[in-house]
Amino acid sequence: MATAPVFVYEGLAEHGGGALTLDGPEGRHAVSVRRLRVGEAVVLTDGQGTGASGTVAEVAGRDALTVELDEIWRDEPPRPALTVVQALAKGDRGELAVAAMTETGVDAIVPWSASRCVTQWHGERGAKSLAKWRSTAREAGKQARRVRFPRVPEPMTTREVAAGLVAGAAFAAVLHESATEPLAAAPLPEDGDVVLIVGPEGGVAPDELAAFTAAGARVCRLGPTVLRTSTAGTAAAALVLGRTGRWS
């Protein structure tokens, strides 16, 4: 039996129950692409932790339908929270990384303008790239049936990552192929924030590594092989989520 499709409904947390109208791009996708009909089950989310289940009560035209809600619930933020600082990647590798990490369960994905990134975000191009990452996280969140999508904030510099994320984390690690400490054996907290830093294809520069370790980050390796920047974050996130019990 197929699972009910997920759609985003802004303001779901303030909805009191009963029926609601799903329109706009989400309604159009439900009616014209998914071709939902009266009586079919749907799941709604605001992407911020509120979810609802219901059935299609009426279809109006090609871009709107009425959903009769059966249940509304609230998912509390999981602990420990997991943030991945992802170096900007060329081509579509950034979006691939965002999609995979969203499906894995990462809570925040921070674009990082590392010094060795081939791609740098500036002006209109940067705004479009950030919008793509956010859209990717939203669509991957729906696909993964998450009711709380990962946050994708504005890009950060090395100094901002060190002072704003690493310094306040319960655990922070820079993934580095020359490290001797395996992430699989590093002591992880039961609460607080876990921050993982993934460098670009050219690697983390020595001054960046120094800034992160000075702020309290450990330098860890994933395994005997070197992963690409588009896959390292997903592998590390899966390891951490499994070890902290969030996958149990």
Side-chain angles (χ1 to χ4, degrees):
M1 182 178 178
T3 56
V6 178
F7 300 97
V8 176
Y9 183 88
E10 306 292 347
L12 185 61
E14 291 75 40
H15 192 78
L20 57 77
T21 299
L22 183 68
D23 53 16
E26 292 291 281
R28 187 175 306 109
H29 184 75
V31 176
S32 299
V33 179
R34 296 301 299 261
R35 298 186 180 278
L36 294 184
R37 297 294 180 259
V38 172
E40 293 192 77
V42 297
V43 173
L44 304 176
T45 179
D46 62 358
Q48 300 179 44
T50 301
S53 59
T55 55
V56 178
E58 182 182 356
V59 176
R62 301 179 62 184
D63 59 1
L65 50 77
T66 300
V67 178
E68 187 67 38
L69 299 182
D70 301 320
E71 178 187 9
I72 299 178
W73 69 88
R74 177 79 180 173
D75 278 1
E76 294 303 315
R79 308 301 295 173
L82 176 57
T83 294
V84 174
V85 178
Q86 174 67 54
L88 305 182
K90 62 182 179 180
D92 63 352
R93 292 191 177 276
E95 289 103 89
L96 292 173
V98 171
M101 288 189 286
T102 298
E103 294 169 10
T104 304
V106 171
D107 302 300
I109 304 169
V110 179
W112 172 35
S113 301
S115 63
R116 292 179 176 174
C117 287
V118 174
T119 298
Q120 294 291 339
W121 291 358
H122 300 294
E124 184 178 350
R125 177 183 178 184
K128 288 182 178 179
S129 297
L130 178 60
K132 284 184 179 180
W133 279 35
R134 288 173 171 169
S135 175
T136 298
R138 174 185 170 111
E139 294 307 311
K142 291 164 58 178
Q143 180 66 36
R145 305 185 65 77
R146 292 180 60 168
V147 296
R148 186 180 296 278
F149 301 159
R151 295 179 292 104
V152 183
E154 294 285 333
M156 287 188 176
T157 64
T158 298
R159 179 179 298 180
E160 290 170 335
V161 171
L165 296 178
V166 174
F171 174 87
V174 186
L175 304 182
H176 202 282
E177 66 272 13
S178 66
T180 57
E181 180 181 16
L183 184 62
L188 299 178
E190 296 182 358
D191 201 357
D193 296 322
V194 173
V195 176
L196 301 176
I197 302 173
V198 179
E201 298 291 354
V204 180
D207 61 322
E208 294 170 335
L209 196 61
F212 294 142
T213 55
R218 306 168 84 100
V219 183
C220 298
R221 61 177 173 82
L222 273 175
T225 60
V226 178
L227 279 68
R228 303 200 69 159
T229 187
S230 55
T231 55
T234 301
L239 177 61
V240 168
L241 291 172
R243 290 193 56 211
T244 57
R246 282 186 47 179
W247 272 14
S248 62

